[in-house]
Amino acid sequence: MNRRIAAMVGVVPIALALAAAPMRAQLQQGSPIDDLLKRAGDAFNDLNYNRADSLAHQVLAIGKQITAAQRTRALLVIAAASYPEETAAQKRAVALATLKQIVRTNLSLKLPQELTWAGLDSLVDEAKRTTFGVEVSGDKEQVVVGPQGTASLKVRGSRPGSYRLTIMPESGGSAAVVDSLPATTSGEFRFKTMRGEQPMFTSGDWSVIVTGVDASSRDTVTVRYAARVDAPALEFLPIAAKLDSSKLLKERTGRFGAKSVFPGLLVGATAFALASSVRAQGNIKTKVAADSKGVAVGGVLALSTIAAGFADKGRWIPANIAANKAYGEAFQKSVVAMQAENRRRIAEYKTTFHIDLEAR
């Protein structure tokens, strides 16, 4: 009624016009979509319902570029323009169908004062009673810590229904989270962000999709929300399976082995030479010639020296033994320390959700 009087009189106080001037300047500097919505609202206030409806439909035709708030505002203008106070201009069925579109994802809908009147408020109540709607709520920013941490979203339906939650990357691919709730009017999804010791999410844009199915009519409502996920790469310290044996010091001196061949031959030759140079004094005679005795003695000494060389296992080196033991103990300590650090990184790993809870 006030809108009709203002339109008929056509007089606006100068003070009000001056006060509204800064607001008009701000709106003119805003987005073209907001400008269209303002013009639609102005047309409604001027009782030009057809123009208000046309401008609001132009906003909806823009598609994905409009925000959820802009889409809701356009639908509200269409509903109000379809069911004004003037009986001759009322299109009840159009207004009710439009309001049902809104309450399917906004159960707590309240009409702005500049668009509503008692009859339209009653139509909103009817839309809520006769429409299966789903509303999702929760903290817009959630930080989930470690494998046991969880994020949560609450869901409410206008009537009992079953609900399903899916979180998947905007770029496509398999879902990271899928959860469901049995028939209920309200419930809460709780989901982890790690599977075992590995993050389930990567940093980027994700879609949060909630689908509700009316238990009686099987009417289905799907609501999508945009989410930004911050999930840095979880990097572990590399742990060696075993210590590096190339860094171990020799604990024995080297075996003499083949190196004993030359000394053995030298010893044998020396013994032979000595035996050959010695002659018995007087008339003492032996059955074996001096040369053959020297060969036997030299051969035995040579073989004994060479055998001793090959049997040698080397001498223990205490300093190297102690160094190797210290190295092994240090390796085990480093393994334990790195394992503890990796467990700490898992336990303190954070996934941050920034969820825009305006339905798309």
Side-chain angles (χ1 to χ4, degrees), residues 85-303:
E85 294 182 69
E86 294 83 358
T87 304
Q90 290 178 357
K91 303 173 185 176
R92 189 178 188 281
V94 174
L96 182 59
T98 304
L99 291 172
K100 285 185 175 184
Q101 288 185 56
I102 303 173
V103 300
R104 283 175 74 81
T105 58
N106 186 357
L107 298 179
S108 54
L109 172 66
K110 290 184 179 180
L111 295 175
Q113 188 64 37
E114 68 273 13
L115 294 179
T116 193
W117 62 286
L120 191 58
D121 284 338
S122 298
L123 210 58
V124 170
D125 293 337
E126 181 179 344
K128 290 180 178 181
R129 289 195 312 270
T130 58
T131 304
F132 176 63
V134 175
E135 192 170 69
V136 178
S137 62
D139 293 334
K140 292 185 177 180
E141 180 172 311
Q142 301 188 40
V143 180
V144 184
V145 182
Q148 303 306 317
T150 58
S152 65
L153 287 171
K154 295 179 180 178
V155 61
R156 179 171 69 95
S158 57
R159 293 194 291 267
S162 58
Y163 303 91
R164 181 181 178 86
L165 169 69
T166 306
I167 303 179
M168 59 191 306
E170 284 275 7
S171 57
S174 59
V177 171
V178 176
D179 195 12
S180 60
L181 294 172
T184 181
T185 54
S186 64
E188 184 176 29
F189 295 111
R190 300 193 70 86
F191 55 92
K192 296 182 178 181
T193 60
M194 297 184 73
R195 185 176 288 112
E197 299 179 350
Q198 295 297 326
M200 297 164 59
F201 292 87
T202 56
S203 295
D205 295 322
W206 293 71
S207 290
V208 178
I209 306 167
V210 176
T211 302
V213 181
D214 188 347
S216 57
S217 68
R218 311 307 297 173
D219 185 18
T220 301
V221 177
T222 299
V223 192
R224 299 175 68 96
Y225 303 93
R228 173 72 187 178
V229 177
D230 294 326
L234 178 55
E235 298 179 349
F236 296 112
L237 294 177
I239 301 176
K242 58 182 180 180
L243 55 79
D244 185 356
S245 59
S246 66
K247 295 182 179 180
L248 294 174
L249 302 175
K250 291 184 178 180
E251 297 185 349
R252 289 178 182 268
T253 58
R255 297 178 61 181
F256 210 68
K259 291 184 290 183
S260 65
V261 174
F262 177 74
L265 294 176
L266 183 60
V267 169
T270 301
F272 174 75
L274 290 173
S276 299
S277 65
V278 175
R279 294 291 184 270
Q281 301 295 322
N283 296 323
I284 300 175
K285 294 183 178 180
T286 61
K287 294 181 180 179
V288 181
D291 286 348
S292 61
K293 290 180 180 180
V295 171
V297 173
V300 170
L301 290 175
L303 292 175

